[in-house]
Amino acid sequence: MWLFTNLAAATDHNTLPKVQFSDALPTSGHLILGVYAEGQLGPLGRQIDQQTNGALQHALTATDFTGDKMQTQVITAPMASGLQQMLLIGLGSDAEPLSARDWQELAGQAAQTAVEAFKTLPPIAMDANQADGLSGANQALGALLGSYYFDRYQTDPEKQKSQDAINVVVANPTAAQTAFDAEQKPLAQAIWLARNLSNEPANVIYPESFVSQWRTHFKGMNDIKIKVYDEDDMRQQNMGALYGVGQGSQRPPRLLVVEYMGGTKDQAPVVLVGKGITFDTGGISLKNPPNMWNMKFDMSGAASVIGTIHALAGRGAQVNAVGIAALAENMPGPNAQRPGDVVTSMSGKTIAIRSTDAEGRLVLADAIHYGDVIYDPAVLIDLATLTGSVGRALGKDYAGLFTRHQELVEPFITAGLNTGEEVWQLPLNDNHFKAIEHEVADVMNSGPDAPGASAGAAFIGEFVRESTPWVHFDIAGVAWNDKATPTKSSPGSPGFGIRLLNEYIKTRFE
Ligand code: BES
Ligand code: MN
Ligand code: ZN
């Protein structure tokens, strides 16, 4: 009986917590309160202070809390407020306006600190003064992202931290709700789905289940068309590179294409291509077991590009965009490809397999060529957990950006700074292309004499027409968090790239 009740109450992990806005402060339970530098209270804080005859201000002076940006402190709430405990979050100087990214990170940090401290997420009262509701909507987005937990396999209720609802206190609840529903909600929903897919183990997410899950998530959305290529289709299209990676696994490869036509008919689409290796053992060039455990996230690029399409469709963006996921499981086995094998790609170029562990660029070779020639894109972008090398160069701070079209760099750096998904350009020059020449085939899939991340980028570039404005993002360093960040609570996938691509598309194409 107890067990049944418990199961019925279980959270649906693909559905966002319900977000509600209110202009009234709660009079019981806990509260998250934003406080400016030097303990300055905003309107909501002053309201509580007046209610309690200055007890809040008094309590503040009794702590070390300064209100510096991102600082947090739990205090016992003044009795007359009716509240129990308050989590204070520093907003920094009230002379400095806070950006969308600031509000998201502040609310995210506050939300996860509160969940850790209180085991529940209290109403967030951070002083959203803006009449247009944008700061409140961004707080809601940040709180959603910051309090995301992949806890669906924890059967101990003590360890389940996912929240059912998020309440934000703002000056204008209707404006905040309208802004949130139009913009931040579809974005959060897409990031949520991408995180879930990337965190799911490889016995749950493999090429076919990746496809079927997205089919479900796109149901009922407007202007969406889904195409799926199976092994027979791949053979027919001469996608030998993608097919070759997939042939070692019992779970067959797939190419998933999701078209969103929210723009005008004649408008060239933005084409997004993602590496979708649902598990990377390295294949016959087997990885060391200690480096293998989290290789379920090797499909993060694919999850983020399809997630971006989901976000665009969710907010009805007026743009044409196509997401292409190159899906395969990289396994050793009697039918796996070997080092030294030569495969022929859809482009006609032949590839010598030097390492079966450089599989991401192989699946991308066919997927990106397909995206380039079928769609003639306005811009072609790929996202891939491609190399360990990029993580050693840039750590967790930046995704690596590679391009032959220098004019594409600045817009992405700006979009990265605005969203918190930052990027840094790394070189791509003729030497990198020379390093992947081969004596038997047109190219080989690793360039031992070149820096790893640049050689990987050059390999992908071999399958894109030089005239096509193309950007490659190597997200191997940033697609898995070992530690919490303000917008991502526990270890796992942050769903990197959806905010970046959404912002880029919004500012450049809508
Ligand atoms: N999926 C890996 C890259 C990776 C490594 C992602 C570590 C995240 C953390 C990729 O398929 C790979 O194995 N790359 C090789 C390429 C090499 C064999 C040319 C690498 O970086 O070592
Ligand atoms: Mn690999
Ligand atoms: Zn890989």
Side-chain angles (χ1 to χ4, degrees):
M1 185 60 203
W2 179 86
L3 188 66
F4 281 111
T5 341
N6 199 33
L7 278 178
T11 313
D12 172 357
H13 287 264
N14 280 324
T15 309
L16 288 178
K18 192 170 163 50
V19 171
Q20 287 159 318
F21 297 92
S22 159
D23 55 7
L25 283 163
T27 50
S28 63
H30 304 306
L31 181 72
I32 292 171
L33 184 71
V35 178
Y36 289 99
E38 290 157 31
Q40 293 260 9
L41 297 174
L44 295 168
R46 283 201 298 273
Q47 203 177 310
I48 298 175
D49 196 50
Q50 275 156 18
Q51 232 175 56
T52 60
N53 279 323
L56 178 57
Q57 199 80 69
H58 182 73
L60 269 180
T61 50
T63 69
D64 294 334
F65 184 79
T66 58
D68 287 351
K69 218 190 237 177
M70 293 299 238
Q71 195 192 6
T72 54
Q73 167 97 43
V74 174
I75 62 166
T76 303
M79 188 128 90
S81 69
L83 298 166
Q84 293 175 332
Q85 287 185 297
M86 293 167 84
L87 176 81
L88 309 177
I89 171 103
L91 304 178
S93 162
D94 63 353
E96 273 171 55
L98 295 168
S99 65
R101 175 180 172 181
D102 288 327
W103 282 120
Q104 291 164 21
E105 291 180 349
L106 286 162
Q109 183 67 50
Q112 62 180 279
T113 309
V115 170
E116 298 301 330
F118 306 140
K119 302 259 181 281
T120 163
L121 183 48
I124 299 170
M126 288 172 98
D127 286 340
N129 290 323
Q130 289 173 32
D132 60 10
L134 263 185
S135 64
N138 280 310
Q139 288 168 42
L141 172 60
L144 283 168
L145 297 180
S147 65
Y148 168 95
Y149 294 90
F150 186 68
D151 56 5
R152 63 181 306 185
Y153 296 114
Q154 298 283 3
T155 60
D156 179 354
E158 283 291 304
K159 291 188 176 165
Q160 296 165 353
K161 295 178 182 170
S162 287
Q163 302 296 310
D164 296 325
I166 291 179
N167 293 289
V168 185
V169 183
V170 294
N172 187 339
T174 316
Q177 191 76 53
T178 307
F180 175 77
D181 288 347
E183 199 79 42
Q184 285 81 5
K185 184 178 178 181
L187 195 55
Q189 176 67 72
I191 296 168
W192 210 263
L193 294 173
R195 285 181 178 181
N196 282 347
L197 284 172
S198 305
N199 287 326
E200 283 287 1
N203 59 333
V204 173
I205 291 300
Y206 43 93
E208 286 164 294
S209 64
F210 182 97
V211 169
S212 67
Q213 289 225 0
W214 278 116
R215 270 195 199 285
T216 309
H217 302 322
F218 278 108
K219 258 209 188 99
M221 290 186 120
N222 289 331
D223 303 315
I224 288 287
K225 225 162 82 189
I226 298 179
K227 278 191 282 191
V228 183
Y229 290 76
D230 66 14
E231 309 105 286
D232 287 342
D233 302 323
M234 284 172 206
R235 272 194 294 260
Q236 223 160 51
Q237 300 280 333
N238 300 315
M239 296 177 172
L242 171 56
Y243 184 84
V245 174
Q247 76 185 32
S249 171
Q250 295 274 10
R251 308 202 187 269
R254 290 288 183 267
L255 186 78
L256 167 66
V257 182
V258 184
E259 293 178 355
Y260 169 64
M261 293 296 156
T264 53
K265 267 216 167 67
D266 53 342
Q267 195 180 30
V270 176
V271 173
L272 313 173
V273 183
K275 170 177 173 179
I277 298 299
T278 56
F279 196 78
D280 184 11
T281 63
I284 297 299
S285 314
L286 198 66
K287 286 185 183 299
N288 278 334
N291 299 333
M292 213 190 274
W293 67 273
N294 70 350
M295 282 299 147
K296 63 179 186 179
F297 90 115
D298 214 17
M299 37 54 73
S300 307
S304 287
V305 306
I306 305 297
T308 302
I309 302 296
H310 194 277
L312 296 174
R315 62 183 180 79
Q318 288 183 9
V319 66
N320 295 333
V322 181
I324 302 175
L327 300 159
E329 186 180 45
N330 190 23
M331 295 288 276
N335 199 39
Q337 68 182 357
R338 295 142 290 243
D341 282 6
V342 176
V343 296
T344 304
S345 67
M346 188 189 183
S347 72
K349 279 191 187 172
T350 56
I351 305 166
I353 310 297
R354 198 163 178 280
S355 166
T356 64
D357 197 12
E359 83 297 337
R361 62 199 73 182
L362 293 171
V363 300
L364 286 170
D366 282 333
I368 206 158
H369 173 77
Y370 178 92
D372 189 16
V373 300
I374 300 289
Y375 292 102
D376 205 5
V379 59
L380 179 59
I381 303 165
D382 79 85
L383 241 64
T385 47
L386 206 70
T387 67
S389 157
V390 80
R392 291 188 289 276
L394 300 176
K396 299 261 163 223
D397 298 334
Y398 306 96
L401 179 162
F402 304 80
T403 186
R404 290 185 285 226
H405 294 256
Q406 196 58 29
E407 72 278 8
L408 292 172
V409 176
E410 191 280 326
F412 280 106
I413 290 179
T414 305
L417 286 167
N418 287 343
T419 56
E421 296 190 322
E422 296 193 37
V423 302
W424 198 272
Q425 186 181 19
L426 290 174
L428 177 59
N429 65 32
D430 289 346
N431 288 338
H432 306 132
F433 285 91
K434 283 214 187 72
I436 54 174
E437 288 174 1
H438 192 259
E439 68 277 10
V440 171
D442 294 332
V443 283
M444 60 177 165
N445 75 334
S446 81
D449 298 330
S454 294
F459 184 91
I460 296 168
E462 287 283 350
F463 300 89
V464 179
R465 291 171 298 176
E466 264 185 64
S467 55
T468 303
W470 158 68
V471 190
H472 159 62
F473 290 105
D474 193 335
I475 61 168
V478 293
W480 187 268
N481 280 6
D482 301 306
K483 286 190 303 211
T485 67
T487 49
K488 176 66 184 63
S489 61
S490 47
S493 164
F496 185 94
I498 298 180
R499 276 169 286 166
L500 174 73
L501 295 176
N502 178 67
E503 173 84 3
Y504 168 76
I505 291 170
K506 198 173 143 84
T507 48
R508 294 281 148 169
F509 287 91
E510 292 174 44

